[in-house]
Each structure stands twice: as C-alpha cells, then as structure tokens.
Amino acid sequence: MCASKRQSWAENRGFGRRTLLLAGLTGALFFGARPAHADSSEDLVRRADRVLRGKSSAGVLRMDIKTKSFSRSYKIVTWDDSSGATDKTLVKILGPTSWRGFATLKVGSQLKLYDPKTNHIQSVGHSLLGDSWMGSHFSNDDLVKETQLAVHYTIKLLDKREGKNELGDTVTLHRLELSPKPTAPVVWGRIVYELWEKGDTVMPVRSDYYRKAEDTKPARSMRMSSVKQMGGRLVPSVLEVTVASKPGERTRITYEKLRFDVKIPASKFTEQALR
Amino acid sequence: MLIAKLAYRNLGRNARRSLITGLALALSAALSIAYYGLVDGMNAGLVHSLTRFDLGHVQAHAPGYSVRGVLDLTLPEGDAALASIRNEPKVVSASGRLYAPALAGAGAHSTGVQLIGVEPRSERRVTELHNQLSAGQYLDDEPTPWPKARELSAEESAQDAQLTESESDKAAAEIEELPELGSERPAKPGDAAGAPSATGEPAALLRNALSPRPSRPPNVILGASLARVLGVNVGDELFLSAQAKDGSAEGIRARVAGIFRTGTTGYDRVRVYLHVADLGRLVHLEGRFHEIAALATSPDDAPLVAARLRDTLAPRGAEVRAWSELRPDILRMLDLNRAGGVLLAVIVFIVASLGVVNTMLMAVLERTRELGVLKAIGMSSGRLFAMIVTETAFLAVLGASAGTLLGLGLDLYLVRHGVDLGFITQGVSFAGVGMQPVVYGAVTPGGVLWPVAILSLVCVLASVYPALRAARMQPAVGMRET
C-alpha cells in the first residue's frame, strides 16, 4: 500500500552524542585545548564529557536491550581510534548466536555493516542513519554523529549543592542547563546535565534530552552509574538509555573491560577485519 | 398545438440559418459527450490502475496496521480470514501479503526497499503485476525450499554462552596486549587483526539451527528504477537484509527473476516482491499476513462487499475497507475530474447559446410586421412568448439529437481505439497512481444525459430575451414596420 512502511525508529534519531558502545568515544579535542580560564560550569561539562573519551580506546561490554517485544543481551567488543586524521571505530558482536559476527565499521563519516549470514558488507546510506542499531535504542546516526557539549551548547548552572554520590562520598552536585548555540548542528532544544565534583574528579550522572526548549518531559534520558576504576581512570561503567515514547524499554551498556590511549593497529579498521 | 405548428414552420422559413445554428448546437453536444466519455474513461482507468496494480477492491488488515505499519501487526487469523473472504459471493479472488522494510544491496550499491511477500498463484488473479514485467519472469508458484528454524536445545544454549564467553575473553586479552599510545612497542597487526569470530564450526552449526539458509537464493522481482539504482539484471544476485519480528537482523542472498515497470515511480523505485512463504521465513512471520487484498466483481461493488466482510471479520480482529475508503483522495479526484467535464460542457454551451440568441433575435426582428399582425388579431403576449421559446426548443432538440448520435459515434471510437496520451502521461502519476499511456472512452448514461440536459436548459434560457422582445411588442408599432 504505502510506499514506505519502514518501522519508525525516528525516536532513536539524533541522540547526538557518540556515547554508545564507543566506550572511549572520540575526542580528546579538548585535552589541553583551553586553559582553565573558562567559566567553571563550562569547564565542568567539558571535563565530564571527556571522562569516557580518549585519543583511542578499546573495550568489551555487554549491551542489554529490553523492549516490549524482546529482551536480549549482546557481548560486544569495540575499538576506537581518533588519534589520526579520521576517526575510526569498529564494533563487533561476539554473541549470542543470532548476532555473532555482526560488525559495524565507521571510518570518518562512512558507515559499513557486515552481516555474517550473507557474508556481505553493506554501506549505510544517508536514509538509513535513523534506523535502530541492532534493535537497540541507539540509531546508526548515534554511531556517526558527535556533539561536543561544551562547543555546541551554552551552559547555565541551575543548582549546586553538597550531597552524596553513589559511592557514599560527600561531593558537590551540579545541575546544569545546556541550550544549543544558534548555529549548532544539534537536534535537542535543551539538555539538563547532572554531574558531581570532588577534588580533581568530575563525573557525569545523568543527562535529559528535551526535544524543544519549552518541553517539560525529556524525550530521552541517559543515566551513568557504577563508577569504577577502569583502564587507569575512574569511569561510570554502566550507561542506561530510556526513551519517553517507549515506556518500560531501555538499553543498558555495562563495560567489562576498558582501556584508553592505546595503540590500535590500522588493520583493525579495514573490511577484512569486519569479516 | 397551434404554437408548436407555428414554431415548426417558422424554423423552416430560413432553413439555412436554422441548420447552421442547429449544427453548432449538435457539434457542441457531440464534443461534450465525447469529452465526458473520455473523462469517465480516464477515471475508470485510474480506478483500474489503483485497484488492479496493487490495492485490489477490498483490503483487510489488523486494526491499526494502516496507521503504524509495524512488522508484528499481522492479521490474527491469516488463513481463516483469507478463506472467509474467498467465500464471499461477490469476491472474485483474494490474496494474502506480507510487508517488511529491508536494505537491498548489490555490489557497492545499497538502498532501502520494501519487501512484499505475495502468493504468486492468487496474486496473479488480483493484480496485474505479472503483465508488467519488462524482463525475466514472474515469481514461481512454489516457495523456495527452506528448512524451518528451531530453538536451541539446553545443551546448545550452554555451548552458545560458552562461545560468547571465550570470544569475549579473547577480545579482552587482545585489548590487554595493546601497547600504550606513545610507547615504543609497536602494535602487532597480525595478532590484532584477530581470528574471524563467527566462522568456527560450532558457531556455524548453532547459527544454522536458529536461522537456516534456503537451499538456493529465493527468487525476487523488482522495479525497473530499483534495478537501475542497484545495477542488477535478471539472473543477478542481490543481498537483502531485513529486521525480523524479534528485532534480529536477517540477511539472505536473493536472485533477480524478473523486473517490472508499472510507471509509478513509488513502486518501481522501492518495491521488491517475493514469495510470501520466503518472506515469512526471513522475518520469522511464517503463515502470517499483514494484508489481504480481494478483487470484487466490479469496483462499484467494493463498498457492499467491504460492508459484508466487515460483519464477518471485524469480530475476529480485522479491519476491512473498500478501495474508496483506503484512498479517499482518489475518490475525490474522480469527482473533481467529472466536475471539470461538466464545467467545460457549460462553457461550450454558453458559447453555442450566443449563436442561439443571435438566430432567434434575427428571427424576431425580421418578423416584426408579422408578429404585430399576430398580436393584432388577438394572440396574447404569453402565447407569442411561448411560440418563440418553443421554436428554440425545437432547434435545441434537433441539435441535441444529432449531437447525441455524433457524440455516441465518437465515444464508440474512443472506447475501441482510445487516445494515446503517452507523450503526456509518461511517468505521470496522480497521488501515487500511475496513468496508462492510452486513455479509452467510456459510455455511461450520465455522460450522455448530462450534456443534453444542460444544452437544452442553456438554449431555453438563451431564447428568453428574443421571446420577451416579441411578447412586448406594440401591435400598431409592429405593423407599421415594413
């Protein structure tokens, strides 16, 4: 009947931050990029935003997806290298059977999917970026796109108080409001960002993404928890994403192994490595 | 009676003038009738394109499917619903369909497509896709031999979990081995390239149980524009990957059996047809339908058939609608086309009626003396008025009769031979419905009666002014004229 009955994954579109699997997430753009003269809210967001980023990173993680129609867990290995001219990412599913061997390769803005069942590599065109990544609450777009919060948003402090973090330590809790700068290529009208600060450590806790600035309910939320020492850093080892339009559903990422700033051979990011 | 006689004789007075005016009326009637026939024919062609290329006359869906169109909204009782629809007296044939969005790839090209699973045997009797192949052939009646998937046994599940663990340990070890950025030690490319994780023997066995491969690539037929985008031809291989019901990604290689060209860009660019059983296997919806399309004895019977099927199927969880309810936009367009035909006829007749006004006015002015005499010997103004109107009515009836005959002749020619509008309609579609290159006429009672009725009315109105002039004449003044 209709020309397109594509399942609508529009809700997954444009999550904006490459928080995904991409553990390390790229970046490092800000390592030493700006001295501490910036105002402190902006500095806090910048530091929280790069907790999970490195010049390169590699990790093993579990992704648990719960939707109305299914629940499933993937074991995933990710490799991410943004130390060179182009950002490169390889994500590979290690199990279970139905998904074992599925791989996603991102080089620059090019996205390729490998399907072991057909032994075929498919380039993901523009029209498919909004589709869900392997049934999760992330879209292909989330893999490709990257937003630097401190670059694309202006930051305002909403609330600052003493409190306890999940480890029971007394910390300073900050609630910040991020509004997109007029020319920023972002989809969110407003982000509310929560983080805690203790001494030199800044840790993101939660971010709520509002479609429009005046919305009272976030369209998406991400919670970061289970702070742990991994790969020589203190990081939140569990990320959980919920979508307002799909109550009761969530995608949770649990890092099991994570290393930052490692030398990853270039052969990792080739079509041969996909297979 | 006297008036009719007088009126008739008056027409004969200047036979040439009456003939020319009558001819003008006849021609305008004939052209209107022919044009109306063409509009009706075009409308019928549009309904035909709409219903016979895809929609059918009546469709059944799971409630909400037409709005959301998600994969798991299948008809609750696929085969049973199909059987009840086929048993309905005015249903000629019915066919079940399954839809799934997919990614199609060939070589370096890939694009989003719509997979449509059909039962070739019954689909052939509902739609005419099999007549629109530009290359190759239609789908086989039998589905591709394809082993059924099965669940993993407890033992296999344990083995699966173990495989995942060992893969994950291997990956973790590999990561542990990586040198720090900036350290002297080089990364070992040999190691890091890693052994292919998904191709081990046990892994392949497990995978084959959960999603077995068909014994050969299933046949598909696809639109000409899509074939061009993907760069494939009949006999070539194609990769299809779709999301299955449980959200898993299922991919297969398929073989291009045929290429169709419907003329509707939306179809030719995105549609890939395959056997409904093959698609059911691929997306784990074996034996299910998203849609049942039925063909009634005629498009006009569709609302009735839909209403009756609604009574039987609605309690069983199916939504039944006629084509006119599925595409109200097309229905409105048909009405608009008809209204356009009427409007054109009115314009043509108004122009023709100016000729009538002229003729009758001439007739009245020419006969001023005679009319004065008639009035003087006692003919009332009313009767004089009636005489002129009757004169015009005679002219109109004669013109309309001749025009109807001529118009029917033109209609019959259009019905038989049609008009080739291919140079205009090439690739044109109305609201997603493709136009056929040759437009045939259609003869309907309305298509003949409407022009004749409008013509007569316009003529009578046109005679009012000359008739009034005649009626208002002073007998003495009239008689003084020479």
Side-chain angles (χ1 to χ4, degrees), chain B residues 85-145:
Chain B
I85 291 175
R86 283 184 178 144
N87 281 336
E88 179 66 29
K90 282 197 165 176
V91 166
V92 177
S93 50
S95 174
R97 297 165 178 172
L98 204 55
Y99 291 88
L103 195 63
H109 310 281
S110 73
T111 180
V113 298
Q114 173 83 316
L115 294 182
I116 305 173
V118 295
E119 302 173 286
R121 203 174 288 139
S122 47
E123 189 67 30
R124 256 201 296 263
R125 283 183 280 137
V126 176
T127 57
E128 288 177 350
L129 189 70
H130 56 283
N131 288 333
Q132 295 176 306
L133 295 178
S134 60
Q137 10 171 288
Y138 196 58
L139 299 169
D140 294 334
D141 285 348
E142 297 307 318
T144 309

Side-chain angles (χ1 to χ4, degrees), chain B residues 204-225:
Chain B
L205 283 176
L206 292 175
R207 195 172 66 218
N208 218 34
L210 281 174
S211 54
R213 304 286 87 197
S215 59
R216 56 178 160 80
N219 279 342
V220 298
I221 58 175
L222 69 164
S225 322

Side-chain angles (χ1 to χ4, degrees), chain A residues 130-144:
Chain A
D131 282 13
S132 155
W133 188 83
M134 302 303 292
S136 71
H137 294 93
F138 293 99
S139 68
N140 288 326
D141 209 24
D142 293 332
L143 285 160
V144 185

Side-chain angles (χ1 to χ4, degrees), chain A residues 72 100 123 128 257 263 268, chain B residues 103 160 176 179 183 192 246:
Chain A
R72 74 167 76 117
R100 183 174 294 130
S123 287
L128 302 160
K257 168 109 197 148
K263 220 185 254 179
K268 203 82 208 167
Chain B
L103 195 63
D160 185 20
E176 194 56 54
S183 80
D246 57 2

